């Protein structure tokens, strides 16, 4: 079969501060057949994005192609003059980017942005372009496609914008779509919707896709062929069955091994003790106003939330953005104020506990790049909280060094600055800062979502080891179901500020009852080890099941709910 | 839109009230008795008493303030102590001169600085960019009143091409009016060009880095289209804010230029009032300039959404 | 400090530093020694063109312009330094409090700031000079008052953005009080933008000081100031063009040095912005 795109021995380099050049893509080769969906997988720094940029001749400033060839439809793209390249861009090769919030021009209405590439590359009349734009938006199931044309990007949600982006790129019916992490910034349910739509429209148009992603689940469920990259080199490529599910390459195996899975690290060795944290009927509001004499607009972030955590237990809180999961963690940590309800720690309301209680609850934040004061050395960062403890001054430095070792760093890191560390190392420092206080509860807010999958696996293992060693309880907040499945004892599912389902890990993952939980679990393709060696993709398609006793589920997060118990410890929300 | 405009207009009221308090308070802070300072220590006590009465200085401070404020709202800015003329009409006549110089110089500055800033951003780190950046730094480093003096020296004193001192209204004699404006405008325009070019360049650089620019290129848009259709409207929004600030700033900077070229503008009115301790005129000029500045900023805020639809109205 | 070395590799920064050094040196020398007496008139020597005896010529009272430029450099540097010191110290405190306390305090601070910023800085300073003594202290107070609102705005903006960062939240979780957090985590992280602001403010203070003296509202004669000399020179433009050239050149050299250095500093602190 003739190839649509053939990349051969491509090398891309960028200047280094020292004056040399750093090769971010090294003699990479890959081929894509017409209509094929080709996954390009790798962790950060693997060079996967630069390959897509190089195809279009749109490398960031400083980038240079040092060698190789890129043939598209039989035509060599490298060395092509700007004008000929420009005629290919948009018309024959389209590209969508990761961040839907910044990839549409905020100053132009949607209609103009949709029409742009057709107007540039065809002689179609304005009316015809308009008609096709509306059809394409309809194909992407945009509500009121005609009305969309005169609206501006900021009026749409992230998922909608990404659908608009895809519609605008696919409108000239390109032969190849370069999609750079197109759904990484989206919630899982939206991600599935967008990818399903994109795949089906591309199939209808016969457009091949180069899908650049770090998410192996996405590759396994949408791609035909896959290429794995690391440090700018292509490690192997072939069909998904061949490469991903029965890999011979050690790095690919390591990637797959790093995927979170239930029961990783064997059965728990510590027993769950008495109740440590109790959240009762918690309600949290955000207020916003533009002028100080105006009455503020109140937005409810959490409503009627009850949660409890036992000593040594890991409670995972799952939900999409806007579900209130972060607010729950911040309220327990004392960073947000409850409008009503109580947060009891070891029987004492947290707001009355003062500093003594503060040090018993610690927190690990999502972004390891902004959670450490850039001007402080690591030792000082980790030891900062000790001034509120009764650890004698003379022993503090030794304790900090020991804690650095406990979290998998070395004593040499004591005098380093945060910017000298990698993302994974910084997250270890953030964990050390919590651990050094010997708290009873650690709130971890998306602690691994900014990390690559192999680093993520190491940090999750660290959380488990520390729990075994020190007996911490965790309030583990995550949007990632795989991660939750690996770390949790019990799970709480939040939706629009309410608990919709609560139960043990096995209850939630094996027998989910609430339609929202079921939808979440259906949206995520799982890659699991196959019994006979290798891996297989598990896509669940959970039908709705009616709630017991003739009650009904509610769809609107603001309507009142009852939590009913359907099995010991397993509760679901139904209409009150 | 109208509701938003009305709200924003309302929001300027506390600011303007405070402006009035500051201007009023400034004069109360004069050490010693304002009346005797104004007419000199040697004046006889009766005369001082008379000035005190005419200024309302014999009443409690709060009463004085509200009487003064009430008069202001009726358009009564009082009378000049030195010339006795009614201050508001006197200021408005002089404002026309000032506004002419400032607006003309800003238009000229935009004409050159916007394209220069955009080009420099587009060809960042090129030779032309380096030349523009260097030019900007030089333009911002040469004081406008010195430029004015040098221009007078070259074009007036040595070459005799243009008049160096005085003013003819464009309304009375267009050709001569323009001749009198050329040097003052040229002196002001440098710093304005520097400011606008610098801002345009940096905001365009910011915008050119964004995904939607790469996306426009990936759609096959030619560079000219990328620059003017996609980058410029977005880069112009922050530049607009700077132009608004600049306009207000120039109301101050022009005072020096008016002194150099002895233009009968608002700035020189204020400077003369300060040297003659004509407090009602000082108050009036400060108030008028602050009012104009607040209104210019308001106008910029109201225009902003045209360039950035994300800003809600 | 390798980053600082990288600054030194930029020709603009080096030129800036050299020019600043020349101005500071001139200011220091002018305080100790001048070739001629800068204030006593010598009518026989009036309006002499530049020569070996009078490097930059003499003014209408026969005073050596070079000597006066040196002394005026001292006045300018002192006034500008005092202005920046006053504006930065007071403005930082007000801005930090407004940004961190928020609520009514913030609203009131911003209201006053907005009101003060409604006046063009130079006019506000002119107005304040109407009630102050025309000596260096008076000019510092007037310019300082005019510049405080700028600092308040920048610091408040920084504090608002920094207090949302996770390391500030982390400080609260550890059990640190709000005051400790501001002093230890927030203010030190405002230093970079403050340094850039202070540098550019230093330049604009020099310019404003000259403008005030030019308008006759700055440090009063017989103390020489660059602006004052320019004002006097206007009447002798035809007879003594050097008189109006050199004081202006001195201002330009000082501003050029500070602007070149300030831009390099901005690149150093925030290379991504790469603003000019």
């Amino acid at each position: 079969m003739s190839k649509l795109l053939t990349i051969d021995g491509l090398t891309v380099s960028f200047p280094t501060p020292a004056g040399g050049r750093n090769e971010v893509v090294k003699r990479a080769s890959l081929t894509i057949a017409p209509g094929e969906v080709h996954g390009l997988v790798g962790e950060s720094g693997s060079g996967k994005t630069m390959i897509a940029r190089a195809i279009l001749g749109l490398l960031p400033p400083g980038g240079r192609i040092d060698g190789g060839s890129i043939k598209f439809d039989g035509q060599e793209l490298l060395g092509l003059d700007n004008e000929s390249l420009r005629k290919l861009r948009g018309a024959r090769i389209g590209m969508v980017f990761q961040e839907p919030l910044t990839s549409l021009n905020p100053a132009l209405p949607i209609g103009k942005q949709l029409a742009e590439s057709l107007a540039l590359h065809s002689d179609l009349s304005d009316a015809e372009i308009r008609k096709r734009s509306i059809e394409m938006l309809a194909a992407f199931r945009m509500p009121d496609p005609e009305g969309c044309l005169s609206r501006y990007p900021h009026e749409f949600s992230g998922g909608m914008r990404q659908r608009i982006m895809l519609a605008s790129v696919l409108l000239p019916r390109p032969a190849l779509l370069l999609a750079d992490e197109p759904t990484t910034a989206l919630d899982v349910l939206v991600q599935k919707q967008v990818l399903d739509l994109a795949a089906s429209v591309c199939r209808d148009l016969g457009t091949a896709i180069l899908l650049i992603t770090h998410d192996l689940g996405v590759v396994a469920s949408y791609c035909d062929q896959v290429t794995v990259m690391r440090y700018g080199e292509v490690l192997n490529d072939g069909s998904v069955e061949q490469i991903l599910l029965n890999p011979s390459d050690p790095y690919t195996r390591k990637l797959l091994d790093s995927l979170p899975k239930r029961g990783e690290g064997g059965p728990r060795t510590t027993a769950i003790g008495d109740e440590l944290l109790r959240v009762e009927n918690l309600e949290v509001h955000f207020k916003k106003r533009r002028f100080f004499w105006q009455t503020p607009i109140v937005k409810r972030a959490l409503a009627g939330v009850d949660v409890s955590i036992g000593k040594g237990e890991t409670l995972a809180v799952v939900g999409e953005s806007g579900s209130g999961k972060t607010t729950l963690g911040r309220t327990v940590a004392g960073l947000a104020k409850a409008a009503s309800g109580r947060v009891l720690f070891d029987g004492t309301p947290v707001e009355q506990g003062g500093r003594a209680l503060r040090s018993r609850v610690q927190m690990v934040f999502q972004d390891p790049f902004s959670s450490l004061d850039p001007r402080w050395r690591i030792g000082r960062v980790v030891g900062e909280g000790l001034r509120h403890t009764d650890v004698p001054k003379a022993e503090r430095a030794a304790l900090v060094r020991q804690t650095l070792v406990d979290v998998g760093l070395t004593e040499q890191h004591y005098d380093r600055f945060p910017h000298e560390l990698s993302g994974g190392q910084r997250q270890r420092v953030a964990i050390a800062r919590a651990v050094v206080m010997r708290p009873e509860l650690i709130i971890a807010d998306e602690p691994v979502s900014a990390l690559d999958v192999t680093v993520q696996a190491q940090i999750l293992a660290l959380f488990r080891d520390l729990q075994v060693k020190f007996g911490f309880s965790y309030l583990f907040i995550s949007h990632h179901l795989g991660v939750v499945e690996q770390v949790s004892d019990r799970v709480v599912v939040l939706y629009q500020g309410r608990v919709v389902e609560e139960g043990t890990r096995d209850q939630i993952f094996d027998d989910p009852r609430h339609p929202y939980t079921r939808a979440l679990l259906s949206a995520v393709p799982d890659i699991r080890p196959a019994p006979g060696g290798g891996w297989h993709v598990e896509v669940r398609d959970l039908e709705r099941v009616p709630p017991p006793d003739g009650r009904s589920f509610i769809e609107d997060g603001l309507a009142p709910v009852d939590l009913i118990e359907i099995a010991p410890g397993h509760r679901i929300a139904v209409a009150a | 839109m109208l509701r938003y405009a009305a709200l924003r207009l309302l929001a300027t009221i506390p600011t303007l009230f405070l402006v009035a308090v500051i201007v009023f308070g400034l004069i109360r802070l004069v050490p010693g008795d304002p009346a005797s300072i104004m007419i000199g220590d040697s004046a006889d006590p009766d005369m001082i008493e008379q000035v005190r009465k005419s200024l309302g200085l014999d009443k409690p401070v709060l009463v004085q303030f509200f009487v003064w404020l009430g008069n202001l709202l009726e358009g009564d800015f009082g009378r000049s102590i030195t010339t006795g003329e009614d201050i508001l009409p006197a200021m408005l006549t002089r404002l026309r001169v000032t506004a002419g110089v400032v607006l003309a110089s800003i238009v000229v500055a935009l004409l050159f600085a916007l394209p220069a800033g955009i080009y420099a951003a587009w060809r960042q780190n090129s030779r032309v960019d380096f030349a523009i950046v260097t030019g900007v730094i030089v333009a911002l480093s040469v004081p406008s009143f010195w430029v004015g003096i040098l221009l007078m020296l070259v074009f007036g004193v040595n070459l005799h091409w243009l008049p160096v001192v005085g003013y003819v209204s464009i309304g009375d004699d267009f050709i001569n009016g323009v001749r009198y404006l050329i040097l003052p405008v040229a002196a002001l325009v440098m710093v304005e060009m520097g400011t606008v070019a610098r801002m345009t360049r940096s905001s365009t650089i910011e915008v050119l880095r964004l995904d939607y620019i790469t996306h426009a290129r990936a759609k096959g848009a030619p560079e000219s289209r990328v620059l003017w259709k996609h980058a410029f409207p977005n880069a112009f929004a922050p530049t607009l804010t700077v132009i608004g600030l600049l306009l207000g700033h120039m109301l101050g900077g022009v005072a020096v230029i008016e002194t150099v070229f002895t233009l009968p503008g608002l700035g020189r009115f204020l400077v003369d009032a300060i040297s003659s301790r004509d407090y009602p005129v000082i108050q009036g000029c400060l108030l008028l300039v602050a009012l104009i500045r607040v209104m210019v900023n308001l106008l910029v805020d109201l225009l902003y959404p045209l360039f950035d639809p994300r800003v809600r109205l | 400090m390798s980053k600082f070395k990288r600054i030194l590799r930029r020709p603009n920064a080096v030129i800036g530093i050299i020019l600043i050094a020349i101005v500071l040196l001139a200011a220091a020398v002018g305080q100790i020694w001048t070739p001629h007496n800068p204030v006593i008139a010598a009518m026989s020597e009036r309006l002499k063109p530049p020569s070996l005896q009078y490097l930059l010529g003499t003014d209408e009272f026969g005073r050596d312009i070079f000597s006066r430029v040196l002394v005026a450099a001292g006045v300018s540097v002192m006034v500008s330094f005092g202005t920046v010191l006053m504006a930065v110290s007071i403005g930082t405190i007000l801005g930090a409090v407004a940004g961190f306390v928020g609520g009514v305090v913030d609203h009131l601070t911003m209201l006053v700031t907005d009101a003060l910023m409604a006046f063009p800085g130079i006019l506000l300073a002119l107005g304040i000079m109407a009630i102050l003594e025309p000596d260096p202290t008076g000019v510092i107070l007037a310019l300082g008052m005019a510049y405080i609102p700028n600092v308040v705005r920048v610091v408040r903006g920084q504090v608002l953005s920094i207090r949302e960062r996770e390391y500030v939240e982390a400080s609260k979780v550890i059990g640190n009080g709000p005051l400790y957090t501001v002093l230890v985590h927030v203010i030190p992280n405002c230093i970079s933008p403050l340094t850039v602001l202070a540098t550019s403010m230093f330049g604009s203070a020099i310019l404003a000081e000259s403008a005030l003296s030019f308008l006759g509202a700055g440090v009063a004669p017989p103390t020489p100031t660059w602006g004052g000399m320019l004002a006097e020179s206007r009447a002798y433009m035809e007879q003594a063009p050097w008189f109006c050239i050199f004081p202006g050149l001195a201002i330009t050299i000082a501003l050029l040095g500070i602007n070149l250095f300030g831009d390099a500093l901005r690149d150093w602190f925030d290379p991504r912005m790469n603003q000019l």
Side-chain angles (χ1 to χ4, degrees):
Chain A
M1 186 161 70
S2 76
K3 292 296 181 187
L4 178 68
L5 180 81
T6 309
I7 296 177
D8 191 25
L10 181 71
T11 300
V12 177
S13 69
F14 280 85
T16 59
R21 288 194 81 80
N22 177 24
E23 290 187 348
V24 296
V25 177
K26 296 169 194 157
R27 288 159 295 284
S29 304
L30 69 84
T31 59
I32 300 177
E36 165 182 311
V37 182
H38 192 111
L40 181 54
V41 195
E43 296 185 290
S44 45
S46 61
K48 54 192 194 298
T49 293
M50 287 312 144
I51 288 196
R53 295 286 189 111
I55 295 170
L56 284 181
L58 290 175
L59 287 174
R64 191 176 74 195
I65 293 171
D66 292 332
S69 103
I70 302 175
K71 276 207 178 73
F72 175 76
D73 218 2
Q75 185 183 16
E76 176 62 51
L77 299 188
L78 295 187
L80 207 59
D81 64 286
N82 259 334
E83 195 50 28
S84 323
L85 203 53
R86 193 179 68 71
K87 287 196 173 121
L88 282 176
R89 289 182 196 148
R92 305 274 290 133
I93 308 175
M95 181 159 185
V96 284
F97 299 91
Q98 169 171 0
E99 194 40 76
L101 300 183
T102 58
S103 46
L104 288 167
N105 186 338
L108 290 180
I110 300 300
K112 285 214 168 133
Q113 305 195 49
L114 277 173
E116 183 164 26
S117 44
L118 269 189
L120 284 165
H121 299 296
S122 74
D123 305 325
L124 295 174
S125 67
D126 287 355
E128 178 65 21
I129 291 179
R130 188 180 160 83
K131 188 174 139 257
R132 289 199 191 181
S133 300
I134 294 170
E135 282 169 7
M136 188 55 90
L137 286 174
F140 275 94
R141 308 247 180 87
M142 289 294 292
D144 183 21
E146 197 163 353
C148 284
L149 297 181
S150 57
R151 291 165 70 188
Y152 285 91
H154 70 275
E155 300 173 48
F156 295 92
S157 68
M160 295 270 202
R161 288 194 214 185
Q162 205 60 311
R163 287 194 279 178
I164 294 169
M165 271 294 290
L166 282 159
S168 83
V169 171
L170 291 175
L171 205 49
R173 299 167 175 265
L176 175 63
L177 171 68
L178 308 173
D180 189 356
E181 303 268 12
T183 55
T184 305
L186 306 176
D187 279 323
V188 281
L189 289 177
V190 184
Q191 163 172 338
K192 178 177 163 57
Q193 195 182 27
V194 170
L195 283 176
D196 284 350
L197 285 168
S200 97
V201 173
C202 284
R203 207 176 308 121
D204 294 346
L205 299 176
T207 300
I209 307 178
L210 178 64
L211 181 62
I212 298 164
T213 179
H214 69 286
D215 189 331
L216 296 171
V218 165
V219 173
S221 36
Y222 291 96
C223 297
D224 311 312
Q225 301 282 312
V226 61
T227 301
V228 182
M229 288 187 73
R230 184 171 69 160
Y231 304 142
E233 281 176 273
V234 168
L235 296 180
N236 56 11
D237 65 348
S239 74
V240 167
E241 288 73 28
Q242 233 178 343
I243 299 301
L244 208 52
L245 305 180
N246 298 291
S248 52
D249 167 61
Y251 175 68
T252 311
R253 291 193 76 88
K254 186 177 163 203
L255 278 182
L256 288 159
D257 269 330
S258 301
L259 291 173
K261 43 199 162 289
R262 196 187 307 190
E264 176 78 354
R268 60 180 306 123
T269 49
T270 47
I272 296 171
D274 301 338
E275 185 175 84
L276 180 69
L277 177 82
R278 169 155 208 88
V279 174
E280 282 177 0
N281 203 18
L282 183 67
E283 183 142 341
V284 181
H285 294 164
F286 290 125
K287 291 179 188 168
K288 212 180 167 181
R289 53 182 155 190
R290 288 167 80 189
F291 299 115
F292 66 98
W293 59 80
Q294 288 179 326
T295 34
I297 303 155
V298 176
K299 192 178 169 292
R300 196 171 58 177
L302 285 176
V305 171
D306 293 301
V307 161
S308 75
I309 303 178
K311 285 185 174 141
E313 185 183 37
T314 302
L315 176 74
V317 178
V318 209
E320 295 179 292
S321 49
S323 65
K325 58 187 193 304
T326 293
T327 308
L328 177 59
R330 288 170 49 88
T331 312
V332 173
L335 293 172
K337 272 213 172 72
S340 67
R342 295 200 296 172
V343 179
L344 298 170
F345 187 81
D346 215 3
T348 323
V350 277
E351 64 274 13
Q352 292 166 24
R355 220 161 240 177
L357 196 140
R358 291 278 32 195
S359 64
R360 296 167 68 186
V361 180
Q362 290 299 315
M363 188 156 177
V364 176
F365 294 88
Q366 169 174 6
D367 181 2
F369 288 86
S370 81
S371 71
L372 309 178
D373 191 328
R375 307 174 68 89
W376 282 29
R377 289 179 196 277
I378 300 306
R380 197 170 162 210
V381 168
V382 173
E384 187 186 6
L386 290 176
R387 62 191 203 97
H388 300 303
T389 63
D390 45 17
V391 178
K393 258 196 172 146
E395 293 169 26
R396 288 181 191 167
L399 178 61
V400 169
R401 284 174 204 278
Q402 178 54 44
T403 308
L404 287 178
V405 175
D406 287 342
V407 298
L409 296 167
T410 65
E411 293 192 12
Q412 277 77 49
H413 287 104
Y414 191 93
D415 290 317
R416 299 280 188 77
F417 281 104
H419 68 259
E420 299 174 83
L421 272 53
S422 68
Q425 286 174 325
R426 287 180 195 219
Q427 202 57 303
R428 286 177 194 270
V429 172
I431 293 169
R433 173 171 59 189
V435 168
V436 80
M437 302 291 282
R438 296 292 182 267
E440 286 153 80
L441 173 66
I442 292 181
I443 301 159
D445 186 0
E446 300 272 11
V448 294
S449 56
L451 305 174
D452 277 326
V453 60
T454 49
V455 182
Q456 169 181 306
Q458 295 161 6
I459 298 292
L460 290 178
L462 174 65
F463 270 104
R464 184 202 58 223
D465 294 346
L466 290 169
Q467 188 171 49
V468 170
K469 189 165 175 189
F470 297 106
F472 301 135
S473 302
Y474 290 129
L475 178 62
F476 196 98
I477 297 160
S478 179
H479 72 285
H480 193 302
L481 290 160
V483 168
V484 166
E485 189 175 359
Q486 173 168 334
V487 300
S488 63
D489 296 314
R490 281 193 308 121
V491 180
V492 165
V493 183
L494 280 184
Y495 177 64
Q496 294 187 2
R498 284 185 185 281
V499 174
V500 294
E501 186 159 5
E502 179 190 356
T504 62
R505 189 224 3 233
D506 293 355
Q507 283 167 344
I508 296 292
F509 283 92
D510 295 342
D511 187 21
R513 293 299 184 85
H514 195 276
Y516 178 68
T517 316
R518 296 174 80 88
L520 278 184
L521 285 167
S522 308
V524 182
D526 273 335
I527 299 184
R528 295 179 184 278
W535 279 264
H536 68 97
V537 193
E538 203 176 280
V539 181
R540 303 214 269 177
D541 196 5
L542 296 163
E543 298 289 314
R544 279 177 83 114
V545 286
D549 308 332
R551 313 213 34 177
S552 59
F553 293 117
I554 55 151
E555 308 292 338
D556 176 6
L558 296 175
V561 294
D562 278 341
L563 275 181
I564 57 168
E565 189 155 41
I566 49 170
H570 192 174
R571 282 189 284 272
I572 55 173
V574 294
Chain B
M1 171 74 199
L2 267 179
R3 210 183 101 81
Y4 176 78
L7 261 178
R8 286 304 320 256
L9 196 65
L10 277 178
T12 62
I13 290 177
T15 313
L16 289 175
F17 179 78
L18 265 175
V19 163
V21 171
I22 292 167
V23 167
F24 180 80
L26 198 63
I27 305 306
R28 301 301 118 169
L29 285 175
V30 176
D33 178 22
S36 53
I37 288 175
M38 263 179 237
I39 53 181
D41 296 330
S42 54
D44 72 289
D46 285 353
M47 224 175 111
I48 290 180
E49 198 48 39
Q50 204 186 328
V51 173
R52 284 179 62 88
K53 270 238 166 70
S54 75
L55 292 175
L57 291 173
D58 49 344
K59 301 192 186 87
V61 175
L62 261 182
V63 175
Q64 286 180 35
F65 175 68
F66 283 104
V67 167
W68 177 71
L69 195 63
N71 289 343
L72 286 183
L73 292 177
E74 286 172 9
D76 177 9
F77 280 63
R79 290 184 172 279
S80 159
I81 293 182
T82 43
T83 64
E85 57 185 330
D86 199 347
I87 292 174
L88 185 61
M91 286 196 303
L92 292 180
T93 318
R94 288 167 166 86
L95 180 62
R96 260 188 275 159
V97 179
T98 302
V101 177
V102 170
L103 290 178
S105 65
I106 286 204
V107 169
V108 174
L110 290 183
L111 236 45
F112 289 96
L114 284 179
I118 291 170
Y119 187 85
W122 184 53
R123 285 276 171 259
Q124 199 191 347
N125 296 329
S126 70
R127 270 166 205 224
V128 179
D129 177 35
F130 183 75
I132 291 174
V133 168
T134 312
V136 162
I137 292 187
V138 172
L140 291 175
S141 301
V142 188
S144 60
F145 49 98
W146 188 50
V147 176
I149 291 175
L150 292 183
L151 289 173
M152 277 168 87
L153 190 64
V154 176
F155 294 101
V157 176
N158 289 339
L159 298 173
H160 298 288
W161 286 358
L162 291 165
V164 290
V165 165
Y167 176 75
V168 172
S169 161
I170 294 190
D172 297 344
D173 177 351
F174 185 80
I175 302 282
N176 249 323
V178 170
R179 276 165 53 82
Y180 275 100
L181 273 183
I182 288 177
L183 288 185
V185 166
L188 269 186
V189 93
M190 278 190 60
V191 63
E192 293 171 348
M193 284 203 306
T195 313
V196 175
R198 169 192 282 240
M199 189 63 208
T200 309
R201 176 178 179 271
S202 68
S203 64
T204 307
I205 287 176
E206 282 293 291
V207 168
L208 284 178
R209 248 188 266 272
L210 294 177
D211 278 352
Y212 59 80
I213 296 298
T214 317
H215 183 224
R217 288 187 177 131
K219 276 201 264 186
E223 278 304 292
S224 60
R225 191 181 162 83
V226 169
L227 220 52
W228 290 106
K229 270 273 177 191
H230 290 278
F232 181 67
N234 289 290
F236 188 65
T239 309
L240 182 71
T241 309
V242 165
I243 294 171
L245 291 175
L246 187 68
L247 205 68
H249 185 71
M250 280 304 135
L251 287 174
V254 76
V256 197
I257 292 301
E258 287 170 3
T259 307
V260 172
F261 293 98
T262 52
L263 297 178
L266 194 63
R268 215 176 103 228
F269 196 32
L270 174 63
V271 172
D272 290 346
I274 285 172
S275 52
S276 60
R277 307 249 154 180
D278 193 342
Y279 289 107
V281 173
I282 300 177
Q283 285 182 325
C285 289
L286 286 178
L287 270 177
L288 184 64
V289 169
L291 179 73
I292 294 171
R293 245 193 128 168
V294 169
M295 290 302 132
V296 166
N297 288 347
L298 180 64
L299 189 70
V300 166
D301 282 356
L302 292 179
L303 285 177
Y304 204 94
L306 291 182
F307 300 94
D308 190 346
R310 281 170 298 184
V311 176
R312 272 183 313 155
L313 281 187
Chain C
M1 281 288 104
S2 67
K3 273 199 284 184
F4 193 70
K5 273 190 204 142
R6 216 175 300 151
I7 278 199
L8 292 182
R9 240 183 267 148
R10 307 170 63 106
N12 277 3
V14 176
I15 296 172
I17 291 172
I18 291 172
L19 293 180
I20 292 176
I22 290 174
V23 173
L24 292 179
L25 190 73
V29 169
Q31 299 301 302
I32 310 163
W33 169 85
T34 51
H36 300 269
N37 188 308
V39 287
I40 293 179
M43 294 314 277
S44 58
E45 303 295 308
R46 73 191 291 266
L47 298 178
K48 287 260 154 78
S51 63
L52 274 181
Q53 192 189 359
Y54 303 109
L55 277 180
L56 306 181
T58 63
D59 66 7
E60 81 274 30
F61 296 113
R63 297 173 297 193
D64 177 37
I65 293 179
F66 181 60
S67 305
R68 286 178 64 76
V69 165
L70 286 186
V71 176
V75 175
S76 208
V77 167
M78 191 173 67
V79 166
S80 308
F81 192 75
T83 301
V84 172
L85 200 66
M86 172 177 163
V88 167
S89 49
I90 298 178
T92 303
I93 294 171
L94 291 179
V97 169
F100 212 78
V101 176
V104 182
V105 177
D106 184 29
H107 277 295
L108 286 180
T109 314
M110 289 326 286
L111 206 57
V112 176
T113 313
D114 279 349
L116 282 172
M117 286 180 91
F119 304 99
I122 185 83
L123 291 193
L124 186 60
L126 261 176
I128 299 174
M129 280 315 290
I131 60 170
L132 293 174
E133 290 299 309
D135 57 14
T137 320
V139 179
I140 288 174
L141 285 176
L143 288 178
M145 275 298 291
Y147 286 154
I148 286 174
N150 292 309
V151 185
V152 173
R153 274 192 165 255
V154 169
V155 172
R156 172 181 173 271
Q158 274 295 310
V159 168
L160 284 184
S161 100
I162 289 173
R163 63 179 255 176
E164 298 299 318
R165 305 228 176 122
E166 287 181 340
Y167 61 79
V168 172
E169 305 232 290
S171 166
K172 292 186 205 161
V173 174
I174 285 170
N176 294 330
L179 186 65
Y180 177 89
T181 304
V182 173
L183 290 178
V184 161
H185 288 291
V186 178
I187 290 185
N189 280 295
C190 296
I191 284 176
S192 309
L194 257 181
T195 315
V196 173
L197 178 71
T199 311
S200 78
M201 215 155 61
F202 195 78
S204 74
I206 287 187
L207 186 61
E209 185 275 324
S210 312
L212 281 183
S213 328
F214 182 78
L215 295 173
V219 177
T223 311
T225 54
W226 291 334
M229 293 168 78
L230 273 180
E232 289 166 22
S233 77
R234 278 186 304 152
Y236 306 95
M237 218 176 251
E238 255 166 294
Q239 301 127 278
W242 60 87
F243 190 9
C244 61
I245 288 176
F246 294 116
L249 199 60
I251 305 174
T252 305
I253 288 172
L255 288 181
L256 202 57
I258 292 165
N259 285 339
L260 286 170
F261 179 68
D263 283 344
L265 208 59
R266 189 175 2 217
D267 285 354
W268 180 37
F269 283 130
D270 190 1
R272 196 187 64 89
M273 286 297 284
N274 200 6
Q275 281 177 327
L276 285 170

